[in-house]
Amino acid sequence: MKVFLIFPFILLIGNSCNKIPEQWNGKRLSRKRDQITVAQLQTDNTLALVDLSYYARPDWAGNAGYHFSGSIVVGDTQLNYPRGGEPYDGEDTFPAITMDFIADGTQLIPVQKGLVVATKHTNSFWDVIIGTGAVWNEDGDNGWSRASFPLTLTDRYVGQARNCVATFVYNSITVSNVCVQCSQETASLEDHRVGDIRVMLKANYQPKRYVDSAQVIQQHHQSGERRLPVYPLRDIDAHQEVAEYFDRTMSTNSPTSIGAVLAGGKLYLHPPKTRHGLYPYPADMRHGVYSVTKSMAGALALMYFAQRYSPDIFDELITDHVPALANHAGWKGVTFSHALNMVTGTVGSEDMEHILDFIKARTAEESINVIAKLGDAPSLPGQEFNYASTNFFVLSYALQNYVNGKEGTKADYWDLVRENVLVPIGAEDLTLRRTVEEDNSLGIPVLAYGAFPTLDEAAKIAMLFYSEGNYNGQQLLHRQKTREALGRTQWVGHSTGNDSGENYRHSFWSTTVHNGNCTVNATYMWGYGGNYIIFLPNDVIAFRFMDEYDLNVHELVRKVEQHRACP
């Protein structure tokens, strides 16, 4: 089995030798549709790559002539996936899944939000996340109604996200084939240049009424009403310096999946460019943010439980809550805080010798037993920074058992975080990768990677941290621990040993950026490929989700900060 290289310290070279494709200049959808026609959707042929405007509801569209409510069932289907080498097992197969939708007005609303795990029903490598799409009528469709929706493919191992759009035509009793095109992604360096995935899915439509349809629709609209206001980036980027940074070509002609700046509670969004035009559903675009998960989910969880119970949770011993490590010499004296801060004093790294078997493991017990086989390191807990994603799975496992001791064996710690943190701030649909248990019971979050946020969810979580865990007057996260993570106390954290002078505090990175006569202290979440959420002075947070390994965080900070006067 081949494995994705996903973590910050794995450097791959040779990208600069590859020829960068020219910018996309394909024909856009016009009133006289010439691509993805009704006739083409009735065939089994995989269609050509087209501008994604062909998958979107055009301005001139009419209201759908048929109401849609029911299931679309598809089977395992061969993908058109132009890899340079041999695929992973099942990587060239779209999974057999059932997708349930209810139309309301012009919107096509998925009944199931979150990760559709198809493990038991498919030979595919992929699971699916489905977003809200649209329904409409077009002249020339011979009485058929038309629909499309955003769809994210994600692998079952480390959490890449392939941003796709699907479309089909339908009437009251049947649907056409479903045409899918994927033109953007956050993936490994090995794979992102072969991301243009296409497939034509044979679909079976099962019309049905859902007993909770009114509730699904109501919750959907309430969620939409709570989204942060979004404005064009140009409103605060008059000279296009930040836009040019997001737009510059690297290995592909669209390296940045999403770039945005949050200022004053408003999101300023750069157009979500793909290799084939703009992504038509930016609000539902999911991003595989890799190790950003450690902060977005790991720190969030531990700081919530520090508030719910006591900050003493940071001093809990790992060995008291992880039986497989109870007699492990390396984990003796290691606390929850040590794991969060990557100073466990145990053997571990992002090298394949330390992480390959962990990535391949499926269940929680298999995963923790793999980690138990890693040895002790010379340093004592708390002495030396050593970045290892396995530390965060140990933390997740320990946290689950700790919460079970407080709440009972049926409690799921992430469900408590969702109910008491994510629901209040309006980020309840944040999706996490979990272990896959053989008895179909709910697995535990991997926590080291595997979060798939939308921009809105990422922004709301970032705002909660920026506000030191306070939301509308309610303290959701422990304030002191949150302040420590953001560098607002005397504690500087742990030196990462890098020449650039970075520190690590409760899973957040920090660095000092010189910007002309100004010095900017930047704290940030960081994930493989160049995924950043950067906390800056004056209530400003910058977002860049990508996969082309641009790690020059200093330049991005300078671009965003260049118009701010020195204090």
Side-chain angles (χ1 to χ4, degrees), residues 5 10 347-359 370 373-375 390:
L5 304 182
I10 298 175
V347 168
S349 72
E350 306 306 271
D351 294 339
M352 288 299 102
E353 64 174 312
H354 294 145
I355 202 168
L356 176 58
D357 289 340
F358 170 68
I359 291 174
V370 164
K373 295 177 182 178
L374 299 175
T390 47

Side-chain angles (χ1 to χ4, degrees), residues 239-315:
H239 299 290
Q240 300 289 293
E241 288 96 340
V242 180
E244 288 177 1
Y245 180 82
F246 289 148
D247 279 343
R248 66 181 181 179
T249 54
M250 295 178 66
S251 296
T252 72
N253 62 28
S254 58
T256 299
S257 295
I258 281 284
V261 175
L262 179 67
K266 298 178 180 178
L267 266 174
Y268 295 91
L269 175 65
H270 188 56
K273 298 181 180 180
T274 77
R275 289 181 294 277
H276 302 99
L278 298 182
Y279 192 76
Y281 296 106
D284 282 69
M285 194 177 195
R286 295 277 171 181
H287 306 279
V289 295
Y290 297 101
S291 288
V292 166
T293 309
K294 294 177 172 71
S295 316
M296 180 178 288
L300 186 81
L302 196 54
M303 290 175 187
Y304 164 66
F305 288 113
Q307 179 65 20
R308 182 181 179 97
Y309 304 132
S310 162
D312 292 343
I313 191 174
F314 274 68
D315 299 321

